[in-house]
Amino acid sequence: MFHRGRLSEKQTNKMLFRFLIVITTCGALASIQPAAAQGVSSGLEEIVVTARKRVENLQDIPLSVSAISAVELEQAAVYDLEDLAEITPGLTYQNLGAFGVPTIRGLAQTDTGGIQANVGVFVDGVFLNNRSSFDFGVLDLDRIEVVKGPQSALYGRNTFAGAINYVSRAPSFDELEGRVSAEFGNEERMELRGSVNVPLSDSAAIRFFGATSEFDGTIENSRGGDNLGGFGERTSYGASLLFDATERLRIKLFAVRTESEEDQPPLITIPFARNDCGAQYDLPAGTFYTLYCGGLQSGDAPNLNSLGEGKVGELTVGYLTVDYDFDFATLSATYAKTESEYRAAFDNTSNPALAAVPFFGGPWSLQFFTNSSGDVAEEESFQIRLASDNETGFNWSVGAAVFDSQSGVVLSTIASLVADPNTLERITRVTESLDTDINAIFGTLSYEFGKHKVTAEARYSEETQYQVNDTIIDFLPILNGSTAGETEFDYTNPRFTYEYQYDTDTLVYGSVARGLKTGGINGAGFVGTPFEDFDPETNWTYEFGIKTTILDGRGTFNAAAFFIDWEDLQLPAPPSLQAGSATVNAAGASSAGIEIDSAIGVTDNFVIRGAITYIQPEFDSGVFDATVATLCGQGATPPPVAPTVTCNPVVGGNQLAGTSDLQIYLGGTYTWPQLIGELDGYFRVDTSHQAGKYSTSLNILDQGDINLTNVRLGLQSERYEIALWAQNLFDEEYNANVVNVTSQGAFGVCNGCGINDVRVYPGNGISYGLRGSVNF
């Protein structure tokens, strides 16, 4: 299941075969040519987005945005960010257990354990200040907007590579209405969902919503027989109030709480004795390598201790927005508060045969060697913005924002005693807490003349960070350490855009934007003085795009080409230089690519969509990656035995780890009007390809391609819907994630040689279910 991130002939044929199924199936259905449904337009549905903090048609904005409606999310069986990435080329996602890592346009998270992320995630524009709180599967959504490219001028420094905005469904003044739905499927899948809209008057309405969902997953744990890859519970509930106090004054109040209990990740650990690549060591006990690049073998399966638990936690988001219309401009003010807390404790060895470690109060058993992660965050923010009415050739907006957050991460090492494997004892704990205060001013100027329009945006921010790091060694307190530090940053993030409205159907644009992810403070760990503060990492993104409506409104064709110059990458300090957690700035990287996204209404009842992204995210020439030097036998601290074969930690020109250079999506939906009475029938197919991601910058360990197909067959009317669906229809075996870590089992074989275990996290197999809903 490991191979290069390029398509072999067999894989290409397999992928094309699946795409052919989509085309031929939908084409055959189209040839039936039933009468058009009453009221169905021959064109595509207009998509409205708020990516630029105002309501606009997707085809009219000079940004690369993928907008996925609630209907499409349901019909494409999109339950989490991993599913969303299947139908959104340019976006990939990897679940690291405690943290989620969304990646846009190849700007991968180089410091995967850091508090800050490269992609900002928002609910109605409110930032989620917690890398564990990305799930949206049970939210009451109108749509999801994936905005590609840095959005720091509008959203702030949290959008280094782009933004994902969950847009909630707003209350309506029109009528009392609601929806209830239920879903049941294999592997104990169950979901109950409901919402109701209640008009309180002609100018006030409230919306209540809630949902709960469960899924066992499809991957069997060989120790105990329970399933992995699912979740015990995902629950959300909340309300939204909309009130037009006067003709000029609108008030919105929103609150939601989500609670989740995820499985521990399905993990297969490849024993270091099977390693076959990287540096080679000829030792008395045999020949050993630092890495494994072969495929999985028969019998490889998760073997996890059931005492582990997956990510468990809760998130609360609330905000108040007030809009006042002055005729010439609208004044908007938003106060928001979020609170979240997550923890995770899982078996990270998947190997019950590991030897005991007889030191400092042991012997400790490595049969259950668990990382326990705590992630806590609180945030308050206030933003005020005055924006012109958008009805003249000259438009502007000005605003200010205040952001105050407290976030923290706790990483603990826990092991069981040999004498009592069911008793867990903490060995070490590293805590990191960060208080951040940001004051910002921002503005936009745009001028339209004839078919041309130019826009300049900028945000200036002043940021203060105060951080405390504690390292606790329970069995040897003398090594405990604590550090505290304060640092300040100020930065300006501009964006410049040129638009040319070639005709009423075609927009051509070009833009230059600066993205920034803030710097921070390093703690001392437990063996020495702190590292110096690390600087922000920045990028300049250059983009040229075209958006056009084709075939007399029956289709759209959007394309964008981009080049990203990325500087001061934030990387973990090499293990030989640290004992705690530290981040350093490395050299640069770049990413160049092209995105194409097109949808066509072949007939009134048959719509297809296709998208492709090809990118080249690579390190700049001459970059030396110290984090992988020990894998090559070239660490700052020489290994106790010289390797007989080494590799090269100079990774210039190599593809960034965790990135996919090719993504392809193709989907089609066919509708039979009034197939059974008033019920329309529909059939949907979604198929996707994602090229493999390298696990390190060495580009010698690839997790393999992911090729998935989902289907849905249903009946629906304005009031009722019932549908059968399947995810991963062909039961594709694939790796959702592959990482390598220092091998605990190699302790005593060649300690300090950089011998790693490869951890493989398989993706779920086929899942299917039946869903029914009623609108009232």
Side-chain angles (χ1 to χ4, degrees), residues 698-737:
L698 296 174
N699 285 191
I700 58 175
L701 177 60
D702 186 311
Q703 76 174 31
D705 299 341
I706 301 175
N707 299 298
L708 300 174
T709 299
N710 304 332
V711 297
R712 189 179 185 93
L713 179 64
L715 295 169
Q716 65 179 354
S717 66
E718 291 185 0
R719 186 173 182 185
Y720 301 103
E721 180 177 6
I722 186 168
L724 289 166
W725 59 268
Q727 283 185 301
N728 194 1
L729 177 66
F730 298 102
D731 203 22
E732 177 83 6
E733 293 184 0
Y734 67 97
N735 302 318
N737 195 13

Side-chain angles (χ1 to χ4, degrees), residues 66 107 126 137 167 179 203 210 222 307 323 351 463 497 506 527 541 558 562 579 588 610 665 685 693-694 719 746 770:
S66 295
L107 301 191
V126 175
V167 182
R179 187 173 191 257
S203 59
S222 60
L307 292 178
D323 296 323
N351 187 348
E463 176 176 349
T497 307
T506 304
V527 294
T541 296
N558 300 332
F562 57 87
Y665 166 79
V685 182
K693 309 175 188 70
Y694 290 112
R719 186 173 182 185
L770 175 67

Side-chain angles (χ1 to χ4, degrees), residues 327 377 379 540 560 618 643:
D327 287 336
E379 171 198 324
W540 281 99
E618 59 185 34

Side-chain angles (χ1 to χ4, degrees), residues 215-278:
F215 176 49
D216 274 358
T218 67
I219 302 163
E220 183 177 355
N221 184 15
S222 60
R223 197 185 330 177
D226 55 328
N227 277 16
L228 303 167
F231 46 90
E233 177 190 15
R234 288 179 181 170
T235 298
S236 75
Y237 47 91
S240 180
L241 173 67
L242 190 62
F243 176 43
D244 284 351
T246 69
E247 290 184 356
R248 295 179 179 272
L249 179 62
R250 166 165 286 191
I251 300 171
K252 184 181 180 183
L253 183 64
F254 175 90
V256 64
R257 180 176 175 85
T258 67
E259 301 170 356
S260 63
E261 296 180 3
E262 309 285 333
D263 286 346
Q264 56 178 330
L267 166 63
I268 301 171
T269 296
I270 308 299
F272 73 92
R274 282 166 51 183
N275 286 1
D276 57 7
C277 62

Side-chain angles (χ1 to χ4, degrees), residues 71-271:
V71 172
E72 188 172 3
L73 290 172
E74 182 176 309
Q75 292 190 353
V78 173
Y79 295 97
D80 50 36
L81 279 173
E82 188 174 358
D83 297 333
L84 183 67
E86 291 180 31
I87 65 172
T88 311
L91 170 68
T92 61
Y93 181 77
Q94 289 188 296
N95 187 349
L96 300 183
F99 298 131
V101 183
T103 298
I104 292 178
R105 288 182 169 176
L107 301 191
Q109 188 86 18
T110 50
D111 181 8
T112 56
I115 291 179
Q116 308 294 341
N118 285 15
V119 175
V121 180
F122 302 80
V123 173
D124 293 337
V126 175
F127 178 56
L128 299 183
N129 187 30
N130 189 315
R131 291 184 58 198
S132 297
S133 56
F134 290 164
D135 293 329
F136 62 85
V138 288
L139 295 179
D140 183 42
L141 297 180
D142 181 73
R143 65 185 179 276
I144 296 178
E145 300 171 357
V146 180
V147 190
K148 303 166 190 175
Q151 306 301 315
S152 300
L154 275 181
Y155 288 93
R157 55 97 163 110
N158 307 305
T159 54
F160 177 78
I164 300 173
N165 190 26
Y166 305 147
V167 182
S168 66
R169 197 182 300 272
S172 170
F173 304 147
D174 294 338
E175 60 183 351
L176 176 68
E177 61 181 1
R179 187 173 191 257
V180 293
S181 64
E183 181 175 282
F184 301 93
N186 68 324
E187 308 300 351
E188 304 298 325
R189 181 182 287 276
M190 183 277 293
E191 179 180 291
L192 301 175
R193 183 186 295 265
S195 61
V196 59
N197 181 83
V198 182
L200 303 177
S201 69
D202 292 340
S203 59
I206 189 168
R207 182 178 182 87
F208 300 97
F209 52 86
T212 184
S213 182
E214 298 178 5
F215 176 49
D216 274 358
T218 67
I219 302 163
E220 183 177 355
N221 184 15
S222 60
R223 197 185 330 177
D226 55 328
N227 277 16
L228 303 167
F231 46 90
E233 177 190 15
R234 288 179 181 170
T235 298
S236 75
Y237 47 91
S240 180
L241 173 67
L242 190 62
F243 176 43
D244 284 351
T246 69
E247 290 184 356
R248 295 179 179 272
L249 179 62
R250 166 165 286 191
I251 300 171
K252 184 181 180 183
L253 183 64
F254 175 90
V256 64
R257 180 176 175 85
T258 67
E259 301 170 356
S260 63
E261 296 180 3
E262 309 285 333
D263 286 346
Q264 56 178 330
L267 166 63
I268 301 171
T269 296
I270 308 299

Side-chain angles (χ1 to χ4, degrees), residues 323-336:
D323 296 323
Y324 189 85
D325 185 0
F326 286 104
D327 287 336
F328 72 95
T330 299
L331 180 67
S332 299
T334 299
Y335 169 78

